């Protein structure tokens, strides 16, 4: 019984505490609602909180030495937030913003479908019909009538049609972005918590005006954002690619990680490695008055920079490669060699022969990726897109061409390995080869006389290869071509690579042709259905130089996260293969004898070092011994009718090869013309002082001919 008083005491104590806490809460509630109620209500009615995205820096794209090819600079964009202002104020604000932007040469969003002076629709009839339906406009209304209807809808009072059109562009953007009016027209607020971006990458002068006179621009907020900076201009443009605003189609599969205003890689490395380059956006909180004035801002989540992508490219070598290719094309165009050809397109590829690493890859003509930052102008887009020489195409991987005589090493190796010829056999070239009731000519119409296989490569003798071609089956030749990576995608980490094709019965059937014995005459000298990308040719020459060992071309060195750690290469490889749809090429593994390789390489050495070699005039004074092969491939049909494409493929040093170089010039005329590009590239790679090459203009050019 003695415990009862203690229990009662505890109960009374707890009851007292509850009463005290309750009284405190009631007093605080009284203070909030009665004493300071009007003050807090005023603050609540005049203050809005908005979330703003802090855009993360995209990862940089670097060369093998860490030199920046693509990075970021700080820029400014203009966002329009929802605010409780009337239509008249909103329209005037929009016009004020546009006037500032135009004053400083900044562009702004304008997808409105009606142009003025004269009035006209600028989209398809289908889109016009949808526009009229969505806005309850008569289906037969003219462009001017539609314009006036929207002017009335948006309550635009400006008499100046040009001013009204500017306001209408932004009001239409608000409408199209899915913002809906929640209040009567006298007091509007947009339904989304996210702003409309009016302009991106604006000049600093515009940003200063908006910030210094913020009260004059209600609802306007200037955002500091990273802007893609292609620091090397046009250099390596086809490799790195470019970025642009995400499209509705691209957004459909990326809604969890992207917003409608996000930037995304469109081509090249920017596209392939998008998931690594894109960083993780942060969040900034904005306190804004109802009239749209930003009062305070603070970060609630920091942005994380994207991963850096390190390429195998040597930036200095890339620059020299591009310039050397352009010089050669211009020289051919101007008749600087022994004959003038109309050419404006070419490719050069430099590869490590033992690893497959791409040290340089140039496609001509080129373009400037910086033109695509923000929004590319219609004029610039048309300039690129309508250019018949296709400057936006990476011709190193996206176009396939007949290889001409540089294919002859495949024919030689296949012939030696299958017993169709041997290292000692000599064949007498009479100039015209007769077989199957027809005739085929060597490029030297009088013939080369007696030649072994090394001499046939040196002099690029068609007759010799016609002969051994009659002793081989076409599908056997195709098997060896595919082993060297020809007519098969290389799997390089770039989008839109094409496979090309290898002359074979299967390829002939796909082209509705029944393979005939005479077709072999074209195939053995690199014509017929043989069409390969310059990158495939670089892989092939690298394999010849390294002893016939398979390699996988690559342009990726590593991917480095923002914290400095490297993404495991296996993970990157799996991700990129899945994205590009790269699978095993399925080619048969072959064992190539060292004897066959040595014989072919000796023939290539003779091309550059023997006086009768087709590229002797280019390399006769070169201090490093080079193995090479010229090629001049005729085209038969389509837009290239009557053209002769020029090739040069080489490797160095001859005794211990390090690099392979392949140069292609569309309608370049003669293969040895392109040799000067190869020489300049090798001079850069081996650290030589570039000297002027004096061409021997008595060198007799030749072109492969066939029937």
């Amino acid at each position: 019984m003695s415990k009862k008083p203690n229990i009662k005491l505890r109960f009374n104590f707890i009851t007292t505490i509850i009463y005290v806490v309750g009284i405190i809460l009631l007093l605080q509630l009284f203070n909030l609602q009665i004493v300071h109620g009007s003050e807090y209500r005023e603050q609540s009615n005049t203050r809005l909180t908005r979330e703003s995205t802090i855009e993360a820096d995209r990862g940089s794209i670097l060369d093998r030495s860490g030199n920046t090819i693509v990075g970021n600079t700080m820029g400014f964009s203009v966002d329009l937030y929802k605010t409780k202002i009337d239509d008249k104020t909103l329209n005037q604000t929009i016009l004020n913003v546009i006037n500032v932007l135009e004053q400083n040469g900044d562009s702004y969003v304008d997808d409105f479908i009606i142009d003025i002076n004269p009035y006209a629709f600028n989209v398809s009839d289908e889109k016009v019909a949808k526009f009229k339906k969505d806005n309850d406009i008569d289906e037969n209304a003219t462009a001017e009538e539609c314009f006036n209807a929207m002017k009335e809808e948006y309550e635009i009072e400006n008499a100046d049609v040009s001013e009204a059109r500017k306001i209408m562009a932004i009001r239409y953007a608000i409408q199209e972005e899915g913002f809906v009016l929640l209040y009567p027209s006298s007091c509007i607020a947009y339904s989304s918590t996210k702003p409309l971006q009016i302009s991106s990458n604006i000049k600093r002068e515009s940003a200063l005006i908006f910030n210094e006179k913020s009260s004059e621009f209600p609802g306007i907020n200037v955002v500091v954002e990273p802007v893609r900076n292609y620091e090397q201009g046009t250099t390596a443009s086809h490799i790195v690619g470019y970025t642009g605003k995400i499209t509705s189609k691209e957004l459909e599969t990326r809604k969890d990680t992207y917003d409608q205003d996000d930037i995304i890689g469109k081509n090249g490395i920017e596209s392939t490695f998008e998931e690594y380059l894109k960083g993780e956006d942060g969040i900034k909180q904005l306190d804004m008055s109802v009239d749209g004035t930003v009062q305070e801002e603070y970060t609630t989540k920091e942005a994380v920079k994207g991963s850096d992508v390190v390429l195998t490219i040597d930036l200095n070598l890339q620059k020299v490669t591009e310039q050397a290719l352009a010089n050669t094309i211009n020289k051919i165009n101007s008749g600087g060699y022994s004959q003038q050809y109309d050419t404006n397109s070419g490719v050069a590829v430099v590869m490590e022969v033992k690893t497959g690493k791409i040290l340089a890859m140039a496609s001509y003509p080129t373009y400037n990726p910086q033109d695509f930052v923000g929004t590319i102008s219609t004029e610039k887009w048309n300039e690129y897109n309508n250019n018949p020489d296709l400057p936006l195409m990476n011709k190193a991987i996206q176009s396939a061409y007949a290889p001409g005589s540089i294919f002859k090493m495949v024919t030689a190796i296949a012939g030696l390995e299958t017993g169709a010829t041997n290292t000692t056999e000599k064949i007498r070239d009479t100039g015209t080869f007769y077989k199957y009731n027809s005739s085929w000519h060597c490029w030297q119409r009088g013939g080369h006389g007696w030649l072994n296989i090394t001499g046939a490569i040196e002099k690029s003798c068609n007759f010799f290869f016609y002969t051994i071609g009659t002793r081989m089956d076409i599908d056997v030749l195709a098997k060896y071509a595919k082993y060297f990576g020809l007519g098969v995608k290389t799997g390089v980490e770039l989008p839109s690579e094409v496979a090309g094709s290898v002359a074979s019965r299967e390829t002939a059937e796909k082209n509705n042709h029944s393979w005939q014995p005479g077709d072999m005459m074209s195939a053995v000298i690199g014509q017929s259905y043989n069409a390969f990308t310059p990158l495939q040719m670089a892989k092939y020459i690298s394999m010849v130089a390294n002893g016939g060992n398979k390699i996988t071309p690559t342009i990726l060195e590593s991917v480095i996260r923002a914290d400095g750690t490297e993404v495991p290469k296996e993970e990157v490889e799996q991700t990129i293969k899945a994205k590009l749809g790269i699978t095993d090429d399925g080619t048969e593994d072959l064992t190539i004898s060292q004897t066959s390789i040595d014989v072919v390489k000796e023939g290539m050495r003779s091309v550059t070092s023997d006086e009768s070699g087709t590229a002797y005039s280019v390399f006769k004074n070169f201090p490093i011994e080079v193995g090479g092969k010229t090629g001049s491939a005729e085209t038969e049909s389509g837009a290239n009718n009557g053209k002769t494409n020029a090739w040069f493929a080489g490797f160095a040093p001859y005794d211990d090869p390090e690099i392979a170089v392949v140069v292609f010039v569309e309608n370049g005329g003669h293969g040895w013309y392109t040799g000067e590009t190869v020489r300049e590239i090798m001079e850069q790679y081996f650290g030589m002082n570039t000297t002027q090459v004096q061409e021997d203009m008595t060198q007799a050019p030749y072109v492969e001919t066939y029937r």
Side-chain angles (χ1 to χ4, degrees):
M1 298 295 293
S2 61
K3 293 183 178 181
K4 286 183 179 182
N6 290 334
I7 295 174
K8 186 176 181 179
L9 180 62
R10 291 175 185 174
F11 175 79
N12 291 336
F13 179 74
I14 294 173
T15 302
T16 301
I17 290 176
I18 293 173
Y19 276 115
V20 171
V21 172
I23 291 171
I24 292 173
L25 291 175
L26 287 172
L27 289 173
Q28 183 63 21
L29 186 61
F30 179 82
N31 180 61
L32 291 172
Q33 292 187 334
I34 306 301
V35 178
H36 297 287
S38 59
E39 178 185 344
Y40 290 141
R41 276 193 297 274
E42 179 65 19
Q43 288 184 16
S44 176
N45 289 332
T46 59
R47 190 168 181 172
L48 302 171
T49 300
R50 301 287 175 263
E51 276 191 357
S52 175
T53 299
I54 303 175
E55 188 176 343
D57 283 6
R58 283 179 73 82
S60 299
I61 302 176
L62 313 171
D63 84 335
R64 65 192 298 140
S65 299
N67 298 306
T68 302
I69 303 175
V70 186
N72 304 287
T73 58
M74 284 298 102
F76 307 93
S77 65
V78 181
D79 288 350
L80 173 62
Y81 278 88
K82 61 179 182 180
T83 55
K84 292 183 179 181
I85 55 176
D86 56 47
D87 272 352
K88 182 178 180 180
T89 305
L90 174 62
N91 292 338
Q92 188 59 49
T93 298
I94 290 172
L95 184 59
N96 292 342
V97 170
I98 291 176
N99 287 339
V100 171
L101 294 173
E102 289 184 337
Q103 174 185 331
N104 293 305
D106 295 318
S107 61
Y108 55 90
V109 59
D110 184 358
D111 294 321
F112 191 51
I113 72 168
I114 302 173
D115 292 331
I116 57 174
N117 299 324
Y119 289 100
F121 294 110
N122 54 32
V123 294
S124 65
D125 292 342
E126 182 181 354
K127 290 184 178 180
V128 170
K130 183 178 184 303
F131 169 82
K132 291 178 179 179
K133 182 179 179 181
D134 291 345
N135 291 281
D136 295 325
I137 299 174
D138 185 88
E139 62 181 9
N140 297 315
T142 64
E144 183 176 3
E145 290 170 340
C146 289
F147 183 89
N148 290 330
M150 297 309 295
K151 184 179 178 183
E152 182 178 351
E153 173 68 22
Y154 296 144
E155 298 189 17
I156 300 174
E157 299 176 355
N158 302 63
D160 188 312
V161 176
S162 177
E163 289 184 350
R165 172 65 176 73
K166 294 174 183 178
I167 297 169
M168 211 171 290
I170 305 302
R171 293 297 301 268
Y172 182 69
I174 293 172
Q175 177 179 316
E176 288 300 292
E177 290 287 356
F179 295 121
V180 182
L181 299 181
L182 296 180
Y183 298 90
S185 59
S186 61
C187 184
I188 67 171
Y190 308 132
S191 64
S192 174
T193 59
K194 293 186 178 180
L196 170 70
Q197 187 177 88
I198 294 178
S199 181
S200 62
N201 198 22
I202 66 172
K203 294 183 177 61
R204 182 176 293 273
E205 292 81 0
S206 297
L208 288 174
I209 292 173
F210 293 134
N211 284 330
E212 291 174 357
K213 302 180 179 181
S214 60
S215 60
E216 298 178 15
F217 303 98
I220 293 298
N221 184 47
V222 175
V223 180
V224 180
E225 62 180 3
V227 176
R228 208 60 168 153
N229 183 29
Y230 295 86
E231 298 186 13
Q232 306 301 328
T234 61
T235 301
S237 60
H238 294 97
I239 298 172
V240 299
Y242 57 88
T243 58
K245 186 177 178 181
I246 192 168
T247 64
S248 299
K249 185 176 181 180
E250 291 169 332
L251 186 59
E252 286 178 4
T253 57
R254 297 177 171 88
K255 290 181 179 178
D256 293 339
T257 51
Y258 287 80
D259 290 326
Q260 58 194 10
D261 290 324
D262 276 347
I263 297 299
I264 191 171
K266 299 289 186 178
N267 208 341
I269 294 296
E270 293 276 31
S271 173
T272 305
F273 289 85
E274 170 64 27
E275 286 69 23
Y276 292 103
L277 290 166
K278 177 178 170 56
E280 184 179 344
D281 291 342
I283 298 175
K284 180 171 62 176
Q285 206 79 18
L286 294 176
D287 287 343
M288 184 182 290
S289 63
V290 203
D291 65 2
T293 303
V294 177
Q295 297 178 328
E296 187 179 0
E297 58 182 66
Y298 45 93
T299 299
T300 58
K301 178 185 176 183
E302 295 287 349
V304 179
K305 181 179 181 291
S307 299
D308 292 341
V309 176
V310 184
L311 305 180
T312 59
I313 296 298
D314 180 305
L315 185 57
N316 290 330
L317 185 63
Q318 177 72 26
K319 290 178 179 178
V320 169
T321 299
E322 291 187 16
Q323 188 60 57
L325 177 63
N327 291 343
T328 293
I329 290 174
N330 292 332
K331 190 171 180 178
I332 293 173
N333 261 322
S334 63
Y337 295 100
S338 59
Q339 193 172 347
Q340 187 272 338
Y341 289 86
D342 182 17
T343 177
N344 294 292
S345 181
V347 178
V349 180
V350 187
M351 182 179 290
E352 285 185 350
V353 302
K354 295 181 177 68
T355 66
K357 290 182 178 181
I358 300 167
L359 303 182
M361 180 163 57
S363 181
Y364 185 93
T366 189
Y367 71 95
N368 192 341
Q370 200 68 40
D371 291 333
F372 292 84
V373 174
T375 302
I376 187 170
S377 68
T378 301
E379 293 76 17
K380 181 59 69 173
W381 171 251
N382 289 336
E383 177 186 328
Y384 285 142
N385 203 42
N386 297 332
N387 188 328
D389 297 310
L390 306 175
L392 298 178
M393 175 183 285
N394 184 354
K395 299 177 181 68
I397 64 169
Q398 292 178 286
S399 291
Y401 311 90
S405 284
I406 54 176
F407 182 79
K408 288 175 179 174
M409 286 84 77
V410 174
T411 305
I413 290 172
L416 290 167
E417 292 295 296
T418 60
T421 188
N422 56 55
T423 58
T424 59
E425 180 183 21
K426 289 188 176 182
I427 296 173
R428 182 168 175 259
D429 172 16
T430 60
T432 304
F433 184 81
Y434 297 97
K435 192 75 173 179
Y436 311 122
N437 297 319
S438 191
S439 61
W440 292 265
H441 301 288
C442 188
W443 66 268
Q444 185 161 305
R445 292 305 177 96
H448 292 99
W450 292 98
L451 293 173
N452 61 12
I453 196 164
T454 299
I457 293 174
E458 174 190 338
K459 295 178 172 60
S460 199
C461 176
N462 292 349
F463 191 102
F464 188 98
F465 293 99
Y466 292 150
T467 303
I468 63 174
T470 62
R471 305 171 185 173
M472 274 193 298
D473 183 80
I474 181 58
D475 290 330
V476 171
L477 181 61
K479 178 177 69 174
Y480 279 87
K482 288 181 178 179
Y483 172 74
F484 282 99
L486 301 177
V488 180
K489 289 184 180 182
T490 67
V492 69
E493 303 91 346
L494 291 170
S496 305
E497 182 183 17
V498 299
S501 62
V502 174
S504 65
R505 286 185 174 83
E506 180 184 0
T507 305
E509 290 172 0
K510 289 180 180 178
N511 287 271
N512 301 314
H513 174 71
S514 176
W515 187 264
Q516 301 298 319
D519 294 335
M520 190 69 165
M521 302 302 101
S522 300
V524 293
I525 63 169
Q527 300 277 179
S528 181
Y529 295 111
N530 287 319
F532 314 129
T533 68
L535 182 59
Q536 289 173 3
M537 299 302 292
K539 175 182 178 179
Y540 149 53
I541 297 302
S542 293
M543 289 179 63
V544 171
N546 72 22
N549 300 311
K550 270 192 172 183
I551 55 173
T552 301
T554 180
I555 204 163
L556 176 69
E557 193 70 56
S558 60
V559 176
I560 308 297
R561 300 185 184 96
D563 62 6
T565 60
E566 182 177 348
V567 181
K569 290 188 176 180
E570 297 77 11
E571 176 190 323
V572 177
E573 288 176 1
Q574 290 176 4
T575 301
I576 299 307
K577 284 182 177 180
K579 183 169 186 174
L580 298 180
I582 298 172
T583 58
D584 181 40
D585 59 24
T587 57
E588 181 180 345
D589 283 334
L590 300 173
T591 301
I592 310 297
S593 70
Q594 190 60 47
T595 299
S596 296
I597 293 292
D598 289 345
V599 167
V600 167
K601 287 172 65 176
E602 175 58 27
M604 295 178 71
R605 184 199 63 78
S606 300
V607 168
T608 63
S609 60
D610 288 2
E611 291 187 8
S612 57
T614 56
Y616 174 71
S617 64
V618 180
F619 291 94
K620 60 182 178 181
N621 297 319
F622 201 61
I624 294 177
E625 200 165 29
V626 176
K629 185 72 187 76
T630 57
S632 305
E634 291 182 345
T635 60
E636 288 188 294
S637 59
N640 290 326
N641 188 31
K643 293 183 178 181
T644 302
N645 295 334
W647 291 88
F648 191 99
F651 65 87
Y654 178 78
D655 291 332
D656 186 15
E658 295 180 25
I659 62 166
V661 183
V662 169
V663 176
F664 165 84
V665 175
E666 187 173 350
N667 199 37
H670 306 292
W672 70 278
Y673 288 179
T674 59
E676 188 171 325
T677 303
V678 177
R679 175 171 173 145
E680 288 184 36
I681 292 170
M682 289 185 174
E683 285 174 338
Q684 172 64 25
Y685 177 83
F686 290 110
M688 304 175 190
N689 293 322
T690 304
T691 57
Q692 181 65 35
V693 179
Q694 297 296 324
E695 297 294 343
D696 180 1
M697 298 320 238
T698 63
Q699 172 74 33
Y702 73 95
V703 177
E704 317 293 349
T705 58
Y706 65 96
R707 290 187 57 184

